[in-house]
Amino acid sequence: MDKIKSILTVIDPTKERQNSLERAINLAKRTGATITAFMSIYDFSYEMTTMLSKDEREAMREAVIKDREAWLADMIKGFSDVSIQTKVLWHNRPYEAIIKTVLTHDYDLVIKSTHQHDTLKSVIFTPTDWHLIRKCPAPLLLVKDHAWPDQGNIIAAVNSVSDNEQHQQLNKRIITDAQFLCELANAKLSLVNTYPATPVNIAIEIPEFNPSQYNEAVKKHHEDETFALAETYSIDRNDCIIKEGLPEDVIPYVAKDKDAELVVIGTVGRTGLSAALVGNTAEHVIDSLDCDVLALKPDGYKSPLED
């Protein structure tokens, strides 16, 4: 994502303020990208009107779509300084409508608002969000209520010691995309890498095992690999954060500590049984964050919805 030419922004008709559109407009002004304001609508009652013919039901659906198109057109007419188109689809699964539109038109970025729990003041991810995180082939930016401040902080979450080629490619994409967004937003980049604590069972089962020595060796290995990765992309060592702990604990802690407006993270897009059995570290991290998230797929990723 060294350039953004086209943005698909998902409109939520239940919200008065469209944070996704605001973020899309902000990015479009900086990149010259075109925006498609997208809405997926569905009402099961229209499908159940059996007294009407198929053509009459279709006419009713078209009337609803035209009403939503008029509402969208009215909403965007005040933004004459950016190019915004509108698209409304009738579909009973919003995430499928979004992904199929991405596959058809090859958007560079999808932007969607998250919901905030009024009492807990935390971000709530909907089933649609999770489906997009797992299956959307384009970079997915999930945004919350505040704008990106000038000279803010962006975090790139990497796995610097992985010898898996897919993870290495993801590291590259995470860092380069984060650097690109830092330039656009005039933000400072921090590289975050976590490493595991010493397994307790090893220390118990092997008397001669030295846990502190082992821990220091693991820490040094992660530091060396993270610093080498940072050097490749001209990132200062002082901007690298290497902490012991689980990613879902460390990354949200660092994001909160730095008051970061964005965390850039890679997702492998596991679905079905493998997702249930293996789990997805990125999803646990995302679920613990209270800031914007840019979720990236590996190069060559194919969505399960792709024909």
Side-chain angles (χ1 to χ4, degrees):
M1 198 174 67
D2 56 350
K3 54 184 165 229
I4 302 174
K5 291 183 177 178
S6 57
I7 300 170
L8 183 74
T9 184
V10 181
I11 302 299
D12 184 348
T14 67
K15 298 181 79 171
E16 185 176 336
R17 182 178 174 185
Q18 299 295 331
N19 301 315
S20 62
L21 181 61
E22 290 177 16
R23 190 76 81 246
I25 289 169
N26 183 270
L27 287 171
K29 286 179 178 178
R30 301 178 192 218
T31 62
T34 59
I35 299 169
T36 299
F38 177 88
M39 188 186 298
S40 169
I41 59 172
Y42 185 78
D43 189 331
F44 189 64
S45 62
Y46 285 93
E47 308 293 348
M48 295 299 290
T49 315
T50 53
M51 290 178 65
L52 300 176
S53 68
K54 181 182 176 183
D55 289 343
E56 286 171 324
R57 289 200 301 272
E58 184 66 33
M60 288 175 68
R61 286 197 295 268
E62 285 300 317
V64 176
I65 289 171
K66 287 192 179 299
D67 178 69
R68 293 284 86 186
E69 286 174 340
W71 180 79
L72 274 179
D74 186 60
M75 184 177 67
I76 67 171
K77 66 182 180 184
F79 303 105
S80 56
D81 50 347
V82 290
S83 173
I84 308 178
Q85 303 168 354
T86 62
K87 187 174 185 64
V88 180
L89 285 185
W90 183 277
H91 203 294
N92 64 343
R93 291 190 180 97
Y95 78 90
E96 284 193 11
I98 294 164
I99 292 173
K100 286 185 180 295
T101 301
V102 170
L103 291 170
T104 303
H105 299 283
D106 198 24
Y107 288 97
D108 298 310
L109 180 65
V110 176
I111 304 180
K112 185 182 181 301
S113 296
T114 55
H115 290 258
Q116 186 162 343
H117 192 290
D118 293 332
T119 306
L120 301 176
K121 298 297 181 188
S122 61
V123 172
I124 298 171
F125 295 101
T126 66
T128 296
D129 297 336
W130 288 121
H131 278 295
L132 291 174
I133 288 166
R134 292 165 187 160
K135 301 169 186 174
C136 182
L140 172 67
L141 179 60
L142 294 167
V143 303
K144 64 173 195 175
D145 288 347
H146 71 77
W148 291 357
D150 196 43
Q151 297 183 331
N153 290 291
I154 291 176
I155 289 171
V158 296
N159 180 1
S160 61
V161 302
S162 177
D163 56 4
N164 181 293
E165 189 175 341
Q166 190 181 61
H167 286 168
Q168 291 173 352
Q169 287 297 319
L170 260 178
N171 284 338
K172 176 182 177 182
R173 188 163 187 194
I174 289 164
I175 295 171
T176 54
D177 282 13
Q179 287 179 322
F180 172 66
L181 289 171
C182 279
E183 288 179 17
L184 288 181
N186 191 23
K188 182 177 175 60
L189 178 63
S190 295
L191 214 60
V192 177
N193 181 83
T194 69
Y195 64 93
T198 305
V200 177
N201 60 318
I202 295 179
I204 294 171
E205 293 170 11
I206 307 174
E208 62 272 20
F209 179 78
N210 186 325
S212 62
Q213 189 177 10
Y214 173 85
N215 196 58
E216 280 302 313
V218 171
K219 180 181 177 182
K220 187 176 186 309
H221 176 54
H222 278 259
E223 285 178 342
D224 290 345
E225 293 298 319
T226 303
F227 292 151
L229 184 64
E231 188 177 354
T232 305
Y233 297 95
S234 303
I235 298 170
D236 194 277
R237 287 188 174 201
N238 293 326
D239 296 323
C240 296
I241 300 167
I242 302 114
K243 281 187 175 291
E244 178 185 307
L246 296 171
E248 55 263 40
D249 295 328
V250 173
I251 295 167
Y253 170 81
V254 173
K256 187 174 182 180
D257 182 59
K258 288 189 165 289
D259 192 24
E261 62 260 35
L262 175 68
V263 170
V264 183
I265 193 166
T267 63
V268 294
R270 288 194 184 97
T271 58
L273 187 59
S274 66
L277 294 176
V278 179
N280 190 328
T281 299
E283 290 186 12
H284 294 305
V285 174
I286 289 168
D287 202 26
S288 303
L289 287 169
D290 195 19
C291 64
D292 287 8
V293 179
L294 178 65
L296 304 173
K297 296 292 190 308
D299 290 337
Y301 169 82
K302 285 204 163 204
S303 171
L305 274 66
E306 199 166 343
D307 294 330

